[in-house]
Amino acid sequence: MPTTTTRVTLARRPIGEATPDCFSIETAPLGELEDGNVRVAVEYVSVDAGQRTMLRGEGFHRQVGIGETVLAGGVGRVVESRADGWEPGQAVRGGLGVQTLVDLPAAHLERIDEAVAPLPAYLNALGGSTGVTAWIGIRCVAKPKPGDTFVVSAAAGAVGSIAGQIAKRDGARVIGIAGGPAKCGFLTDELGFDAAVDYKHDDVTGRLREIAPDGVNVFFDNVGGPVLDAVLDHLAMRARVVICGAISQYDDMDHVVGPSKYLRLAERQSTMEGFAYFHFPESIPVASAELASWLADGSLRCREEILDGIERYPEALQFMFHGGNTGKLLVKIG
Ligand code: NAP
């Protein structure tokens, strides 16, 4: 039984990009397992855009202190237990952090069932910050109607790729905005989106005018910045803009650039509304059950991009912020 854990800690607060030198990799001894706790061998950790905002020292999300283990949702397996009813081998999900082994109170963990889906799916389609966010964003906030033109940004990423598929399932005409021809091809050829816009090469507003001449009824934005402005410039009347996130702003949260085209909301009698998935706790089990059923019947397509080894975590945020991932970005720990 190993007596040490290897963890990724925050060495310095990033200025701009979270580059690999912002992190350290350390090995530390594990003490005796305490009563009520279990020891978990971490198998995968989730890489989320929002993790960048946890490295600032202040903000909406929980923060990582200098020298502390980087926070991350993860899945793994109990290897030792001093908690009643918890046996070694049990697969679990929780705030495991970027480390190989972690001791946690069993009450902080959720048992997961590998008969329902393999472990990575619990961070992807079934994950709170991924599939569940997409489901809640669509079903509780954006609520696209049949025939609506629905646009999603960061469309080939974890949340966006699932949000677009749910909007399509709900009868909308779905357009994804993503960086590069390979991602745009993934959206139309593999996920069944109706069209894709390559924001790195196309004039986004111009392309939207061509492919959606009547305007955008619902915009599900994960990106902010120029992409948000470009879509605001082509809203239909009574459109709904849903702010799920704004990854283009996370590297410099002290100087967030707001939309310069926000008067389009007044001109088109439209609304803009933000949400976080945990604002809808009652919907989380409903979302999880429905997402699991779509996974089981093969109607929800999900891709994972996996960086193999804990030593890859320090490059993970930079990889994501440069658009390296298609689908959900994970780091395989053990
Ligand atoms: P993701 O979409 O899997 O990855 C992020 C993608 O964003 C990248 O692959 C990249 O794709 C794109 N991107 C990066 N920088 C960009 C820029 N400057 N301009 C345009 N696109 C850029 O990440 P995720 O973890 O699923 O997060 C997606 C969004 O959901 C984030 O805004 C996140 O904060 C939000 N979120 C919200 C909630 C909530 O409860 N509201 C929960 C979880 C996540 P390209 O190659 O296409 O550029």
Side-chain angles (χ1 to χ4, degrees):
M1 188 75 69
T3 55
T4 59
T5 181
T6 299
R7 51 176 72 126
V8 175
T9 60
L10 183 63
R12 68 167 182 85
R13 298 210 177 280
I15 298 166
E17 267 190 309
T19 45
D21 58 308
C22 297
F23 304 96
S24 292
I25 300 185
E26 297 167 7
T27 296
L30 285 162
E32 279 282 295
L33 189 63
E34 292 176 16
D35 274 346
N37 282 7
V38 293
R39 182 160 292 171
V40 177
V42 183
E43 297 196 10
Y44 295 88
V45 291
S46 174
V47 183
D48 294 283
Q51 278 166 7
R52 172 65 187 84
T53 68
M54 299 177 175
L55 309 177
R56 297 178 66 221
E58 56 174 317
F60 174 64
H61 292 116
R62 277 181 64 199
Q63 296 295 315
V64 181
I66 298 293
E68 289 178 3
T69 304
V70 173
L71 297 166
V75 288
R77 213 171 290 282
V78 173
V79 289
E80 196 180 335
S81 174
R82 293 193 60 186
D84 285 345
W86 291 76
E87 300 299 331
Q90 172 69 52
V92 294
R93 174 170 67 179
L96 304 183
V98 187
Q99 51 199 328
T100 55
L101 284 167
V102 57
D103 292 355
L104 285 170
H108 291 189
L109 295 167
E110 191 187 340
R111 296 173 206 263
I112 55 177
D113 183 353
E114 291 166 279
V116 172
L119 290 187
Y122 282 90
L123 301 176
N124 188 0
L126 306 180
S129 65
T130 304
V132 171
T133 294
W135 191 101
I136 286 173
I138 297 298
R139 289 286 173 83
C140 304
V141 190
K143 300 178 183 165
K145 298 188 299 297
D148 274 350
T149 293
F150 173 97
V151 175
V152 55
S153 58
V159 172
S161 61
I162 299 177
Q165 289 182 75
I166 302 174
K168 181 85 190 145
R169 179 182 281 276
D170 289 351
R173 176 169 181 254
V174 173
I175 299 171
I177 301 177
K183 286 193 180 188
C184 288
F186 168 68
L187 297 177
T188 52
D189 303 345
E190 288 190 41
L191 301 188
F193 285 26
D194 297 283
V197 177
D198 175 357
Y199 77 94
K200 289 189 174 163
H201 300 100
D202 295 338
D203 159 16
V204 174
T205 313
R207 249 325 256 145
L208 289 174
R209 282 198 188 103
E210 279 168 33
I211 59 180
D214 295 333
V216 173
N217 303 107
V218 182
F219 178 39
F220 190 99
D221 189 25
N222 290 310
V223 160
V227 168
L228 172 56
D229 270 328
V231 183
L232 284 175
D233 215 13
H234 191 56
L235 293 182
M237 284 298 287
R238 293 194 186 80
R240 296 181 303 291
V241 177
V242 173
I243 305 298
C244 176
I247 190 171
S248 70
Q249 304 301 309
Y250 295 168
D251 277 342
D252 191 3
M253 292 285 281
D254 289 327
H255 303 98
V256 168
V257 178
S260 67
K261 301 277 187 194
Y262 79 94
L263 285 178
R264 296 288 180 267
L265 298 172
E267 293 163 10
R268 316 267 161 89
Q269 205 188 331
S270 297
T271 60
M272 187 183 279
E273 180 178 6
F275 79 99
Y277 76 94
F278 44 80
H279 295 146
F280 297 84
E282 68 291 347
S283 295
I284 294 174
V286 186
S288 303
E290 192 159 26
L291 289 157
S293 74
W294 295 338
L295 269 189
D297 70 19
S299 62
L300 180 67
R301 290 173 179 267
C302 291
R303 199 190 268 195
E304 276 123 31
E305 188 90 43
I306 296 177
L307 301 178
D308 196 359
I310 192 169
E311 65 284 355
R312 301 290 306 274
Y313 183 85
E315 73 194 73
L317 285 171
Q318 193 178 36
F319 182 81
M320 168 182 271
F321 278 59
H322 286 267
N325 62 305
T326 299
K328 176 73 190 174
L329 184 59
L330 300 172
V331 175
K332 186 173 189 315
I333 302 292

